[in-house]
Amino acid sequence: MPEESRHNITLVTCTAPVNIAVIKYWGKRDEDLILPINSSLSVTLHQDQLKTTTTVASSRHFKEDRIWLNGKEDNINQPRLQSCLREIRRLARKRRSDGDVSTESLGLSHKVHICSVNNFPTAAGLASSAAGYACLVYTLARLYGVEGELSEVARQGSGSACRSMYGGFVQWRMGERTDGKDSVAEQVEAESHWPELRVLILVVSAERKPVGSTAGMHTSVETSLLLKHRADSVVPGRMTEMISAIRQRDFAAFGELTMKDSNQFHATCLDTYPPIFYLNDVSHRIIRMVHCYNAHYGHTRVAYTFDAGPNAVIYTLEEHVDEFVQVVKHFFPPENNGGQFLKGLSVSPVSLSEEVKTAIAVEPTPKGISYIINTKAGPGPCMVEEPSLHLLGADGLPKQTV
Ligand code: DP6
């Protein structure tokens, strides 16, 4: 249990990862509890490249609950934030009434200050709500000494957040109950299971902010028959196939299913009325480039997936990263002053053969991709022990604001 300092303030800091689904969650059967219409499966990305850090402070001197996101104070009264706070406090109270004395020193009636930052630009359009809610729930749980199944709480912040409560390969079972108790995330395999797997995030320059996932999936559930068919008849089989591809480290099966599932998700968006378009011209060119590249080699070496925006996430194996990054650079030449086009794990420069270039029937698109993040699967949330890394000071206020 964290201890109250001499300033009568208790501080806990944790970090949590982003996850990228290979079998997509799209559609809720209960919007308040965030219960999905289908199960889903994702890979948790390594926190060295993408993570949220959250500090929670508790003190009897705080007058109200407050939250700062990326340096700016935000609205603590958002219903989803309130659900997470209420649920964790309820679990803490339950623990205490069940006789756990270790949490007694921490006043459950004390207000909290929450401060959260991402180590990646929010403007990049990478799903940050999953890491954000996972981190909030994990940090609050550590503060109050709550253990056990927390994905059910994170789910109530943002559906995909429940999968960020674990590292490696994670499934979110949709569950059957109306109270959501069985709609939880579960690790399929740890990150160490498939060390060669790599993830390249191609950050596509976008001119407009797309429709948010919450609003988008609401309209899809109301209007798309294809979505219903997907949830009832396609996803159950795909979950089984995907789990077995992962267990066997069968990249061809994993990659093909990943691409098909991304395509079907975007097809349900087109089937939504009015239709939702998340992919742009650059996304379409990336899809084409990947298929030409795989066709050239006669097997699936790289696979794309797209969420509610134009960025591509590429899954591949370590041995293909150098060449594929060169392919991306060739067809999406970066700006001349370049800046840092490649972030994350290192990539070695290689030269592309003429055969590969001519096999890819795609028009080069200068500056279509802003930058690439090279990463891999990683662990779930963890606590930061070093006190100097708290985002809130001894006065309970952010050390840095914008
Ligand atoms: C396309 O979890 O952001 O990324 O539950 O309404 O917060 P809410 O939605 P959210 O939806 C994510 C949708 C997706 C697919 C996925 O991550 O499975």
Side-chain angles (χ1 to χ4, degrees):
M1 271 303 295
E3 301 223 334
E4 211 176 72
S5 74
R6 61 194 163 85
H7 302 281
N8 298 322
I9 182 171
T10 308
L11 289 154
V12 178
T13 300
C14 299
T15 64
V18 166
N19 72 76
I20 299 291
V22 289
I23 302 290
K24 304 292 185 195
Y25 147 54
W26 197 251
K28 299 180 185 72
R29 61 182 201 273
D30 181 320
E31 297 202 336
D32 296 324
L33 287 172
I34 312 200
L35 302 178
I37 58 167
N38 61 261
S39 297
S40 55
L41 199 150
S42 57
V43 179
T44 294
L45 305 190
H46 205 287
Q47 296 183 45
D48 281 354
Q49 281 73 45
L50 302 158
K51 71 174 172 209
T52 296
T53 304
T54 301
T55 297
V56 180
S58 160
S59 167
R60 74 183 71 140
H61 300 303
F62 293 163
K63 305 239 163 5
E64 53 188 354
D65 290 333
R66 293 174 76 180
I67 187 164
W68 289 263
L69 298 179
N70 292 311
K72 263 178 71 184
E73 183 149 21
D74 211 309
N75 178 13
I76 191 84
N77 292 317
Q78 289 169 59
R80 289 169 168 213
L81 207 59
Q82 287 297 322
S83 302
C84 292
L85 272 165
R86 190 183 54 240
E87 279 304 294
I88 290 283
R89 283 172 168 153
R90 190 181 61 77
L91 291 173
R93 234 169 256 124
K94 183 168 175 297
R95 243 177 101 86
R96 206 162 290 188
S97 66
D98 289 349
D100 179 357
V101 287
S102 69
T103 54
E104 249 167 29
S105 61
L106 198 82
L108 268 172
S109 54
H110 294 172
K111 300 294 180 195
V112 292
H113 284 186
I114 303 163
C115 186
S116 194
V117 297
N118 296 328
N119 70 344
F120 53 94
T122 318
L126 300 164
S128 55
S129 68
Y133 277 107
C135 206
L136 172 74
V137 168
Y138 190 80
T139 315
L140 285 168
R142 296 302 288 253
L143 176 81
Y144 293 125
V146 174
E147 280 158 9
E149 183 45 55
L150 296 169
S151 74
E152 201 202 321
V153 185
R155 189 201 73 223
Q156 296 178 53
S158 181
S160 54
C162 72
R163 298 186 312 238
S164 276
M165 297 303 282
Y166 297 96
F169 302 82
V170 184
Q171 65 166 320
W172 171 13
R173 290 183 189 273
M174 63 178 285
E176 287 168 2
R177 295 168 58 132
T178 50
D179 64 3
K181 292 266 176 280
D182 58 353
S183 189
V184 293
E186 184 181 288
Q187 188 177 63
V188 172
E189 290 289 347
E191 60 277 18
S192 54
H193 168 72
W194 202 350
E196 302 83 17
L197 192 71
R198 289 291 176 276
V199 186
L200 297 168
I201 302 169
L202 312 187
V203 179
V204 168
S205 338
E207 61 287 357
R208 278 183 262 119
K209 201 178 166 352
V211 181
S213 357
T214 308
M217 68 176 82
H218 174 88
T219 318
S220 295
V221 169
E222 295 220 307
T223 62
S224 171
L225 286 175
L226 177 58
L227 181 65
K228 188 172 162 33
H229 167 70
R230 165 179 163 73
D232 295 346
S233 311
V234 182
V235 174
R238 280 194 180 161
M239 286 294 291
T240 312
E241 282 179 62
M242 186 57 95
I243 290 171
S244 113
I246 290 167
R247 294 229 159 102
Q248 293 170 38
R249 291 184 283 265
D250 178 347
F251 187 81
F254 171 85
E256 192 175 316
L257 264 176
T258 297
M259 293 189 277
K260 285 183 173 169
D261 203 70
S262 170
N263 294 340
Q264 189 177 68
F265 154 49
H266 290 279
T268 68
C269 291
L270 267 189
D271 190 48
T272 298
Y273 193 81
I276 307 168
F277 307 98
Y278 286 124
L279 307 181
N280 66 16
D281 279 356
V282 172
S283 321
H284 289 137
R285 285 177 189 196
I286 294 170
I287 293 176
R288 199 135 78 121
M289 179 175 76
V290 166
H291 285 292
C292 291
Y293 184 75
N294 288 337
H296 173 71
Y297 285 106
H299 62 269
T300 302
R301 281 193 172 191
V302 290
Y304 54 77
T305 185
F306 296 83
D307 284 333
N311 294 334
V313 176
I314 302 287
Y315 285 100
T316 188
L317 297 174
E318 190 182 10
E319 60 190 303
H320 305 310
V321 166
D322 294 346
E323 185 180 75
F324 189 73
V325 164
Q326 204 52 50
V327 167
V328 174
K329 275 184 160 172
H330 183 82
F331 289 97
F332 299 93
E335 272 179 87
N336 270 344
N337 60 25
Q340 215 198 353
F341 188 65
L342 272 169
K343 301 175 201 264
L345 301 172
S346 66
V347 178
S348 306
V350 289
S351 59
L352 280 189
S353 71
E354 284 309 312
E355 290 84 70
V356 171
K357 285 185 205 162
T358 48
I360 300 175
V362 173
E363 182 81 6
T365 313
K367 297 183 230 168
I369 292 174
S370 315
Y371 57 91
I372 302 179
I373 305 171
N374 181 15
T375 184
K376 57 184 183 179
C382 43
M383 181 145 141
V384 177
E385 304 287 349
E386 170 56 44
S388 67
L389 297 177
H390 291 315
L391 303 173
L392 294 163
D395 56 357
L397 294 173
K399 290 180 183 169
Q400 274 183 353
T401 48
V402 287

